[in-house]
């Protein structure tokens, strides 16, 4: 596939599920994103996050990206394993489902956040 580009977070709704001593906590987030570059579309992500006392976090979750390709709507489902460290969010992800191209299943990628709620993504 070899896709790359950026995405912009358009909405982030986070709920604290459990709080611990020294500011540690579990939370869930429902996130909307707009993709541009090789993929032009929108996504919805559901993250589970664990915050340490430093404010850094580990997260995992599933994302569905919807975009048009050759006049057909394509839906990709990604499984994320990421971290938020020193103000930078990054994730390694795997495509676990594709509505049109089964050959994409198992492909992996990464994202790394940049300024202004944006991130750079790459899928191999």
């Amino acid at each position: 596939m070899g896709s790359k580009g950026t995405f912009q977070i358009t909405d982030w709704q986070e709920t604290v599920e459990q709080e611990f001593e020294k500011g540690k906590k579990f939370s869930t987030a429902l996130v909307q994103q707009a993709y541009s570059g090789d993929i032009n579309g929108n996504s919805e992500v559901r993250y589970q996050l664990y915050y340490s006392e430093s404010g850094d976090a580990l997260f995992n979750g599933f994302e569905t990206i919807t975009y048009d390709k050759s006049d057909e709507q394509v839906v990709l489902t990604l499984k994320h394993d990421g971290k938020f460290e020193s103000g930078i969010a990054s994730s390694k992800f795997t495509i676990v489902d594709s509505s049109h191209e089964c050959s994409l299943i198992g492909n992996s990628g990464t994202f790394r956040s940049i300024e202004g709620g944006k991130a750079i993504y790459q899928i191999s």
Side-chain angles (χ1 to χ4, degrees):
M1 182 174 183
S3 299
K4 59 184 177 178
T6 61
F7 63 78
Q8 172 72 52
I9 294 171
T10 57
D11 190 47
W12 184 290
Q13 300 293 323
E14 188 167 338
T15 305
V16 175
E17 302 292 340
Q18 192 171 5
E19 293 188 73
F20 305 99
E21 74 285 347
K22 299 181 183 175
K24 299 175 188 176
K25 63 185 176 183
F26 281 123
S27 67
T28 57
L30 178 59
V31 184
Q32 307 293 324
Q33 299 175 151
Y35 274 76
S36 60
D38 293 333
I39 295 174
N40 286 291
N42 295 294
S43 78
E44 181 173 279
V45 192
R46 295 178 187 275
Y47 287 131
Q48 292 182 302
L49 303 99
Y50 171 74
Y51 288 92
S52 67
E53 59 188 271
S54 68
D56 290 344
L58 298 173
F59 61 86
N60 62 34
F62 288 92
E63 176 177 12
T64 53
I65 304 172
T66 305
Y67 63 98
D68 292 326
K69 182 177 181 182
S70 304
D71 295 325
E72 289 188 299
Q73 189 174 68
V74 177
V75 179
L76 295 179
T77 303
L78 312 181
K79 180 181 177 234
H80 284 275
D81 183 14
K83 62 184 176 180
F84 178 76
E85 197 170 60
S86 302
I88 303 291
S90 61
S91 175
K92 295 179 181 176
F93 57 81
T94 303
I95 298 173
V96 295
D97 195 24
S98 171
S99 64
H100 282 69
E101 298 178 62
C102 292
S103 63
L104 297 179
I105 297 172
N107 286 10
S108 61
T110 59
F111 82 71
R112 181 175 173 83
S113 67
I114 55 177
E115 74 286 339
K118 286 187 178 181
I120 298 168
Y121 71 85
Q122 184 165 351
I123 302 172
S124 52

